[in-house]
Amino acid sequence: MVAAALGAALTLGAPAALAGTAPVGPSGSAVAVAPKAPKASAPASSQSATWVAGTRAYLVITAPGDSSAVRSAVTANGGTVFSYFDQIGVIVAHSSSASFATALRGVSGVQQVGATRTSDVPADAYNPALPANPAQASTPAGEPARADMTQIKADQAWAVNPGSASVKVGILDTGVDDQHQDLAPNFNAADSVSCAYGKPDTRTGAWRDVDTHGTHVAGTIAAAKNGKGVVGVAPGVKISAVRVAEPGNSFFFAENTICGFVWAGDHGFKVTNNSYYTDPWQFNCPDNIDQAAIIEGVKRAQEYAEGKGSLQIAAAGNENYDLAHKTTDTASPNDSTPVTRTITNACLDIPTELPGVVTVAANGTGTTKASFSNFGQGVIDVAAPGQDVYSTLPGGKYGTKSGTSMATPHVVGVAALIASANPGITPAQIRDKLATQANDIACPADGRCTGTTANNSFFGEGQVDALKAVGATPPAGKYFENTADFAIADNSTVESPITVTGVTGNAPATLKVGVNIVHTYIGDLKVDLVAPDGTVYTVHNRAGGSADNINQTYTVDASSEVANGTWKLRVNDNAGGDTGKIDSWNLTF
């Protein structure tokens, strides 16, 4: 879902699915492209895998939980286990045997098996090279107002709420240049990773950009407000790179996306940006045995991430195609030789058409439809600027791209602002707010546009509005926050302070206490709000069992307490075996 940089068409080693479809030029015209209880197992890998020509990748779908028996069957039938995600019952297997998939489908406990590509797994998968760390160019001072930001009123929103550092955004893309002067202040290396080939690679720099696309997306979301370059929609939030693209071709295969979504859920990303479709199939059809497994595997990973509190937002694609009336696919498979095939609406653009994912169309100048943007009644959720968007590029550079890839990070930034203004908000609630804050756009004089002004096939609920996102539901009173991390060790107590000043009289009977704790097995934890005079108010007392993380807003009757003074969040760990941290917390008076 990408476009052109610096006036030239984006050149790819192969017709990968950036932003979902073919790149578009800077004018918007299409560019021709051959297109714990028990705790879940962490992703693991085979140490014996050796690449040979003809090695293909497969998703082996089984019931969530211990997959050791099925993994043994993979090995016994001529395959190797490259990685596995027992949380969702997905194994990534490699094999050079033509009979592997058929044999595995007959194994007890195996629900589905599907090849994820029509090309060989690259040898690089077994010993991945680190992406380049480019030298950085310097940028003159100045952050000129940009049309895309004023169009969605982001420039006005910054004065109200530029975004909270406790909100983490994951960029599932080609990687991010974390050294870029406009991205480094907001970059979260601790939660960044490469998921290329379908296995987490946590080496420093593995997340860096193997193209330019992910770095451009990152700048639109959260480039720092630092007096130079550009400013992102939500310049106060934190961004993490999850590289799901493979080097050399920028392919986003299903195992990579699955790894990325599981990582997003496990690492507390409030929102993820997904400006791609899952290669090699532009549309995955459930009547195809391989594509059915891809649908199931990616769907499970998305549901897992959302269950952990993460909302996925995805680009609609750049082929000016009606996603509500599918007839043909001429771009698949894009890792070998595409063929023309007849399809129906049962065939899905993944991840954008999965349940729960917010689908983004691109506006051109003002409230027009970008000529390249896909559309579809009941498919498009919201729209945002995607034409000639100026943002960050690797090496400290900047450039212009167009595409639904460029529209999506605007929506992700607005979602991050919504989360910043509403601590503890759920993915479903963010989805609802994205819809209600959007400004309606009526259909133009174009017979393909169906629906109403309030919701139609070109713009969905309308164009996002960053000012409404931060102003529609502002904190009812003064707001104080501590975003510093405080480690929670086994059988220990830790306190995080907030000093409140400038509030007259006592605290309210409805004091809002927003708590963001990252900790496995929250049944170990007792969480108290300690007033300045030492009075203790318990908000969480060893509930939740084996669930991970506390991200919730509590209401406390603190009306007997003087508001001004130092308040503390006290966390007591009462058992061994699980640790974590106070990631952030806040008070709204």
Side-chain angles (χ1 to χ4, degrees), residues 1 274 311-317 323 349 351-362 373-376 378-384 404 407-408 411 431 434 456-462 464:
M1 321 234 178
N274 302 270
L311 176 67
Q312 279 56 252
I313 300 178
L323 296 174
D349 182 333
T352 197
E353 289 191 277
L354 289 177
V357 175
V358 175
T359 304
V360 181
S373 181
N374 286 353
F375 57 98
V379 179
I380 303 302
D381 291 305
V382 290
T404 54
T408 304
V411 178
R431 273 197 303 270
L434 280 172
N456 58 60
S457 61
F458 276 15
F459 312 109
E461 297 280 357
V464 292

Side-chain angles (χ1 to χ4, degrees), residues 16-17 34 45 70 147-148 235 246 260 336 398 421 428 440 453 476:
S45 63
V70 175
D148 57 316
E246 298 180 7
S336 54
Y398 300 84
D440 294 342
T453 298

Side-chain angles (χ1 to χ4, degrees), residues 223-517:
K225 202 172 190 303
N226 55 4
K228 55 187 175 183
V230 298
V231 188
V233 176
V237 304
K238 294 298 183 183
I239 51 174
S240 296
V242 181
R243 179 164 68 86
V244 290
E246 298 180 7
N249 53 34
S250 291
F251 281 128
F252 298 71
F253 290 107
E255 59 268 38
N256 310 3
T257 304
I258 290 167
C259 171
F261 284 161
V262 172
W263 183 272
D266 287 343
H267 289 260
F269 296 167
K270 200 64 182 177
V271 194
T272 70
N273 190 104
N274 302 270
S275 292
Y276 60 91
Y277 69 72
T278 303
D279 297 291
W281 307 99
Q282 183 177 356
F283 300 104
N284 286 269
C285 300
D287 59 353
N288 178 286
I289 198 167
D290 294 317
Q291 293 163 41
I294 292 173
I295 294 171
E296 181 64 19
V298 179
K299 177 175 176 288
R300 288 190 186 188
Q302 193 290 123
E303 290 173 344
Y304 177 83
E306 181 163 345
K308 290 281 191 172
S310 177
L311 176 67
Q312 279 56 252
I313 300 178
N318 301 337
E319 290 189 336
N320 195 23
Y321 191 95
D322 186 351
L323 296 174
H325 297 90
K326 302 186 185 84
T327 56
T328 58
D329 174 12
T330 62
S332 309
N334 62 4
D335 66 335
S336 54
T337 303
V339 298
T340 298
R341 58 179 181 151
T342 300
I343 62 171
T344 69
N345 285 347
C347 302
L348 303 178
D349 182 333
I350 291 176
T352 197
E353 289 191 277
L354 289 177
V357 175
V358 175
T359 304
V360 181
N363 290 130
T365 303
T367 56
T368 62
K369 172 189 175 295
S371 60
F372 51 81
S373 181
N374 286 353
F375 57 98
Q377 183 66 41
V379 179
I380 303 302
D381 291 305
V382 290
Q387 183 79 52
D388 297 335
V389 176
Y390 186 76
S391 187
T392 48
L393 294 175
K397 300 176 183 178
Y398 300 84
T400 296
K401 294 179 185 286
S402 295
T404 54
S405 275
M406 284 61 255
T408 304
H410 288 88
V411 178
V412 170
V414 170
L417 291 178
I418 290 172
S420 298
N422 299 273
I425 193 170
T426 67
Q429 290 169 335
I430 298 176
R431 273 197 303 270
D432 288 345
K433 286 186 178 294
L434 280 172
T436 58
Q437 58 76 50
N439 294 312
D440 294 342
I441 305 176
C443 278
D446 187 325
R448 300 172 304 164
C449 187
T450 59
T452 66
T453 298
N455 190 323
N456 58 60
S457 61
F458 276 15
F459 312 109
E461 297 280 357
Q463 182 173 261
V464 292
D465 188 313
L467 185 58
K468 284 185 181 179
V470 297
T473 53
K478 293 194 173 182
Y479 180 83
F480 303 84
E481 184 177 34
N482 189 337
T483 61
D485 290 349
F486 289 78
I488 306 169
D490 281 329
N491 296 296
S492 69
T493 299
V494 62
E495 294 180 339
S496 173
I498 289 177
T499 300
V500 173
T501 59
V503 180
T504 303
N506 286 5
T510 56
L511 178 64
K512 302 298 183 183
V513 185
V515 177
N516 183 3
I517 294 174

Side-chain angles (χ1 to χ4, degrees), residues 111-204:
Q111 298 172 356
Q112 292 176 266
V113 180
T116 65
R117 43 184 99 199
T118 63
S119 56
D120 289 359
V121 176
D124 185 66
Y126 298 106
N127 187 22
L130 286 174
N133 185 10
Q136 300 294 315
S138 60
T139 297
E143 290 172 322
R146 304 202 321 278
D148 57 316
M149 293 298 163
T150 59
Q151 188 168 323
I152 65 168
K153 302 179 185 176
D155 55 335
Q156 299 177 56
W158 300 329
V160 179
N161 186 344
S164 168
S166 66
V167 173
K168 296 193 287 190
V169 177
I171 301 169
L172 279 64
D173 213 291
T174 63
V176 173
D177 180 6
D178 57 304
Q179 305 296 312
H180 195 293
Q181 59 205 342
D182 243 355
L183 301 178
N186 291 332
F187 192 80
N188 173 17
D191 292 310
S192 293
V193 69
S194 170
C195 271
Y197 311 114
K199 178 167 61 178
D201 181 350
T202 59
R203 292 176 298 165
T204 299

